[in-house]
Structures are given as structure tokens and as C-alpha cells.
Amino acid sequence: MSQQAFVSRITNETKIQIAISLKGGPIELPNSILPPKQTVEEDVASQKTQSQVINIHTGVGFLDHMIHALAKHSGWSLIVECIGDLHIDDHHTTEDCGIALGTAFNDALGAVRGVKRFGTGFAPLDEALSRAVVDLSNRPYAVVNLGLKREKIGDLSCEMIPHFLESFAEAARITMHVDCLRGFNDHHRSESAFKALAVALREAISPNGTNDVPSTKGVLM
């Protein structure tokens, strides 16, 4: 299976389109919704290698950075474009990007069969260490404990970081536990959490050598 998906989500608050390939490789959007690039800084969450294409533009720099890290260490190719009502605040943009990304992940994954289903990941970043455990359960649930203390990291409200992860898990229809075990720098705590989640997701969707549904019920629904 191609494990690719395209999602367009348009509301009165945000316009989002996402292209994803869970196996990496080349991807593209039909048409960009973004205005012409104005500055070099807008490309900080862009990366192109032989195995991955990553280009993240949400309008919120630290959110771009976190989604970039998630895609990179999950092995995905991912393009995210969002035009949101940032003149209000970062809530709608962050929440809706989480929903759209979760939907894209779920669409690209398709039927949960022939994969490990469960994944665990640990990731350090200097003094910070995070753990993530996921289950491709089709039963959405998220427990996120990052212990962040700052009000904001860049232009992203710290309260929105776990909310993005919760929104992703809900739309992706996965069970997800993400904990930062230690660390005192909130940037490090957040980034290690996203990297740990990436490692866990990469393991969960990896082949298990069969074409079976990994459930005693015979279905995951």
C-alpha cells in the first residue's frame, strides 16, 4: 500500500492542507494556499533529502519546529500548509493542525493489519528525556504530561502543545501516552516528547511479517 494521503480542511477559522507519506519519498500538494515566500526564515521547517520531503508552514514557528521533528523521526514525508486566524491567538491554528494531521495519518495508514500496532519510544534532548507509548487501537485516547512551566515558547502557547498532541490522537484514532520524565528547559522537554512520539509511531506502523489484524477480536474498530 502507498500509505499516502491528502487532507484539505477549511473552516471559518483555518484553511489547512496536508500531504503525507508514511513511507517517505516524494510528495506534493495540488496547489499551494500560501502567499509567496517573503523571508528565508519561513523555510526553517523545510527539508528535502533522497528519502524525505518535509515542508511545514503553520504560521507559528515553534509549532512548525515540533511537526518537523515529528515527521523527520517518524520517517514521513509531510507537507503542511495552514492559514489561520492568528490575529485572535494560536488556539485554532494549533488545534486544527493537530486534527488535520491526525486525519491524514489515519487515512494514510488505512486498515490496521500486518503492523506491530504497539510502539514505544524514548528520546533525550540534552537534560530532557521523554517517553511515548502508542497503540493503533482505533480507540482515541491521549494522556500527555510534559510539565511545561513557561507561558509560551516563541509564539506558541505552552498549553497548546499537549492540546495539539491530544487533537492528533483523537483524529488519528490512536491511544497515546506521552510523558516528559525529566528536564528543566521547556524547549527541550517539548522537543524530546515529539521525538519520542515519532519513534513510537515508527515502531507501531512497522510490518510484523503477517497480513493479520493485530487483535484478539480480529478487528480494530
Side-chain angles (χ1 to χ4, degrees):
M1 297 178 63
S2 65
Q3 292 194 322
Q4 295 185 359
F6 169 75
V7 168
S8 176
R9 188 176 193 274
I10 299 176
T11 71
N12 290 333
E13 298 164 343
T14 59
K15 296 180 181 179
I16 301 171
Q17 57 179 10
I18 293 178
I20 189 172
S21 171
L22 301 183
K23 295 181 178 179
I27 56 169
E28 59 183 5
L29 293 171
N31 294 288
S32 176
I33 62 173
L34 298 175
K37 296 185 179 71
Q38 300 295 318
T39 63
V40 175
E41 285 76 12
E42 292 185 39
D43 285 329
V44 295
S46 298
Q47 188 173 17
K48 187 174 183 179
T49 67
Q50 289 185 338
S51 59
Q52 284 179 285
V53 175
I54 302 171
N55 200 327
I56 316 298
H57 291 277
T58 68
V60 183
F62 192 69
L63 180 59
D64 290 354
H65 183 42
M66 293 299 95
I67 298 175
H68 185 188
L70 178 63
K72 181 63 180 177
H73 298 288
S74 295
W76 304 342
S77 284
L78 179 66
I79 302 174
V80 177
E81 294 185 347
C82 175
I83 301 174
D85 55 2
L86 294 176
H87 62 283
I88 296 177
D89 66 7
D90 58 349
H91 184 102
H92 298 143
T93 291
T94 306
E95 179 180 68
D96 289 2
C97 283
I99 293 170
L101 182 58
T103 301
F105 174 87
N106 184 258
D107 288 353
L109 182 62
V112 180
R113 61 168 57 245
V115 296
K116 291 183 179 179
R117 175 181 165 178
F118 301 101
T120 303
F122 288 84
L125 181 55
D126 295 348
E127 87 296 344
L129 174 65
S130 292
R131 173 190 62 213
V133 183
V134 300
D135 176 8
L136 307 180
S137 60
N138 206 30
R139 294 190 304 277
Y141 201 89
V143 178
V144 182
N145 186 357
L146 305 184
L148 304 178
K149 298 180 176 63
R150 290 167 57 177
E151 180 180 352
K152 284 190 170 186
I153 305 176
D155 292 328
L156 181 61
S157 303
C158 281
E159 68 178 0
M160 292 308 302
I161 297 174
H163 188 56
F164 172 87
L165 295 172
E166 291 160 358
S167 299
F168 170 79
E170 179 75 20
R173 302 196 60 79
I174 64 175
T175 299
M176 183 178 83
H177 293 251
V178 182
D179 299 278
C180 184
L181 304 178
R182 64 175 65 94
F184 55 81
N185 181 293
D186 279 355
H187 185 133
H188 292 173
R189 292 178 72 94
S190 301
E191 188 169 346
S192 69
F194 274 76
K195 289 177 177 177
L197 177 59
V199 174
L201 287 170
R202 192 166 189 164
E203 180 181 16
I205 69 173
S206 63
N208 67 3
T210 76
N211 192 39
D212 297 341
V213 175
S215 170
T216 55
K217 293 187 293 239
V219 295
L220 282 170
M221 58 184 300

